[in-house]
């Protein structure tokens, strides 16, 4: 059986719950062969980020080119890109290698408040990377920064989605996790139609890495040949189960359970 392949271009989380570690675990669980180009190394655990060490542009370019010249990829996921120089390099490389199925997770701030993206880089994200995105997957605070809107109502979310589509993302997902209340709505926009998935909020502090995991699950699903809508549904199921069966690891915001989706599928077959 020929496996599909995905590349994550993102930061490393030493605690294993977010960043490239979450991405590679998610790719694996969805049957996709995972590869990585590391943009920054973070020293962090479930209590927070202690330090951030961005990689040199040369090191990032060499990792991407090494993958491109030999292996290629069926999908890309971008996560923490740290500054505008890294964003411009990654955008240039995606164009140069003519890659498709690009999931852009516009990572900005870690759960504990540490900055994973310089303020100056927001413009580069909008000018260079989002226009290449098959799908961009902000949470509500990220969508606010990207659009300048204050997002309170569902109409605000839809307006933000329209704006992000107009700057070039083919599809826009606005994740509902940061909304208020017990009912959570994730929104997908394809440029003409809105599609939503409703779920109940799961009450736990162990949600570290959910954004990374969601975007990685979308990238793996696109690599597997699914439509964007089906990839959105799969990513939602994957993250919902990962939070529901979270591992309670560490003393702070613990990671989610990347095994849960495949384990539930296996149990359903028996
Ligand atoms: O979830 C955002 C994120 C992305 N990438 C890295 C991170 C985090 C959150 O902590 O550490 C490397």
């Amino acid at each position: 059986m020929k496996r599909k392949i995905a590349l994550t271009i993102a930061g490393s989380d030493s605690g294993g719950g977010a960043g490239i570690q979450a991405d590679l675990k998610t790719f694996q669980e969805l049957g996709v062969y995972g590869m990585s180009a590391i943009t920054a190394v973070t020293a962090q655990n479930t209590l927070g980020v202690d330090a951030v060490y961005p990689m040199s542009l040369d090191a990032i370019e060499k990792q991407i080119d090494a993958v491109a010249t030999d292996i290629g990829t069926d999908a890309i996921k971008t996560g923490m890109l740290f500054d505008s120089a890294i964003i411009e390099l990654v955008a240039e490389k995606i164009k140069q290698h003519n890659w498709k199925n690009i999931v852009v997770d516009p990572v900005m701030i870690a759960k504990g408040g540490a900055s994973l993206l310089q303020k100056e880089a927001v413009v580069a994200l909008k000018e260079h990377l989002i226009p290449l995105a098959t799908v961009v997957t902000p949470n509500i605070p990220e969508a606010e920064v990207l659009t300048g809107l204050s997002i309170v109502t569902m109409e605000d979310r839809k307006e933000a989605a329209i704006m992000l589509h107009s700057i070039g993302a083919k599809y826009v997902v606005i994740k509902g996790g940061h909304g208020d209340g017990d009912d959570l709505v994730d929104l997908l926009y394809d440029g003409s139609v809105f599609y939503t998935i409703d779920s109940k909020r799961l009450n736990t502090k162990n949600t570290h890495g959910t954004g990374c995991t969601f975007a990685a699950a979308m990238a793996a699903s696109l690599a597997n040949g699914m439509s964007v809508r089906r990839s959105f549904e799969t990513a939602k199921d994957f993250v919902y189960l990962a939070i529901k069966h979270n591992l309670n690891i560490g003393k702070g915001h613990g990671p989610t359970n990347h095994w849960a989706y495949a384990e539930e599928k296996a149990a359903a077959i028996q």
Side-chain angles (χ1 to χ4, degrees), residues 38 55-66 85-86 89 93:
I38 300 180
M55 302 289 290
S56 69
L57 289 176
D58 187 47
I60 298 168
E61 181 170 21
K62 289 258 177 10
Q63 293 174 80
I64 296 173
D65 286 343
I86 297 178
L89 170 69
K93 288 285 145 189

Side-chain angles (χ1 to χ4, degrees), residues 169-253:
K170 282 196 194 67
Y171 291 79
V172 179
V173 169
I174 311 236
K175 294 171 292 185
H178 289 72
D180 292 329
D182 282 344
D183 297 310
L184 196 151
V185 183
D186 295 295
L187 177 71
L188 173 70
Y189 180 57
D190 67 3
S192 60
V193 176
F194 292 101
Y195 173 67
T196 55
I197 303 177
D198 297 338
S199 60
K200 286 283 170 205
R201 181 180 302 281
L202 294 162
N203 217 339
T204 172
K205 65 179 170 46
N206 298 323
T207 55
H208 177 59
T210 45
C212 305
T213 300
F214 181 90
M218 281 209 74
S221 301
L222 292 172
N224 278 331
M226 285 182 191
S227 68
V228 172
R229 178 163 158 171
R230 192 76 197 95
S231 300
F232 172 61
E233 292 167 344
T234 302
K236 173 67 190 183
D237 287 347
F238 193 99
V239 171
Y240 186 85
L241 291 170
I243 298 171
K244 185 174 174 194
H245 302 290
N246 73 79
L247 301 166
N248 211 15
I249 283 173
K251 301 179 192 72
H253 288 288

Side-chain angles (χ1 to χ4, degrees), residues 11-13 18-19 42 44 80 107 110 116 208-209 212:
S12 167
D13 168 8
T42 70
Q44 78 174 291
M80 173 184 180
V107 171
L116 304 177
H208 177 59
C212 305

Side-chain angles (χ1 to χ4, degrees), residues 29-199:
E29 291 299 314
L30 290 171
V32 169
Y33 178 83
M35 306 176 294
S36 63
I38 300 180
T39 55
V41 171
T42 70
Q44 78 174 291
N45 53 32
T46 66
L47 297 170
V49 178
D50 294 330
V52 174
Y53 304 94
M55 302 289 290
S56 69
L57 289 176
D58 187 47
I60 298 168
E61 181 170 21
K62 289 258 177 10
Q63 293 174 80
I64 296 173
D65 286 343
V67 167
T69 54
D70 176 35
I71 306 169
T73 191
D74 298 304
I76 301 262
K77 183 237 148 169
T78 70
M80 173 184 180
L81 298 175
F82 192 67
D83 65 17
S84 57
I86 297 178
I87 291 168
E88 284 174 35
L89 170 69
V90 169
E92 191 188 307
K93 288 285 145 189
I94 289 172
K95 283 194 280 192
Q96 180 192 335
H97 298 305
N98 197 23
W99 277 326
K100 300 285 179 280
N101 294 331
I102 315 297
V103 180
V104 174
D105 184 22
V107 171
M108 293 181 190
I109 296 168
K111 248 184 200 90
S115 177
L116 304 177
L117 184 76
Q118 305 290 86
K119 284 212 168 59
E120 57 84 28
V122 173
V123 174
L125 212 47
K126 291 202 281 189
E127 277 185 11
H128 299 287
L129 199 56
I130 291 177
L132 303 180
T134 307
V135 55
V136 62
T137 61
N139 58 32
I140 290 169
E142 289 159 355
E144 290 186 317
V145 171
L146 290 169
T147 61
L149 297 172
S150 164
I151 300 175
V152 181
T153 64
M154 187 50 65
E155 285 315 303
D156 298 336
R157 292 191 206 180
K158 288 182 176 174
E159 191 180 341
I162 290 168
M163 281 177 76
L164 292 171
H165 181 265
S166 74
I167 64 173
K170 282 196 194 67
Y171 291 79
V172 179
V173 169
I174 311 236
K175 294 171 292 185
H178 289 72
D180 292 329
D182 282 344
D183 297 310
L184 196 151
V185 183
D186 295 295
L187 177 71
L188 173 70
Y189 180 57
D190 67 3
S192 60
V193 176
F194 292 101
Y195 173 67
T196 55
I197 303 177
D198 297 338
S199 60

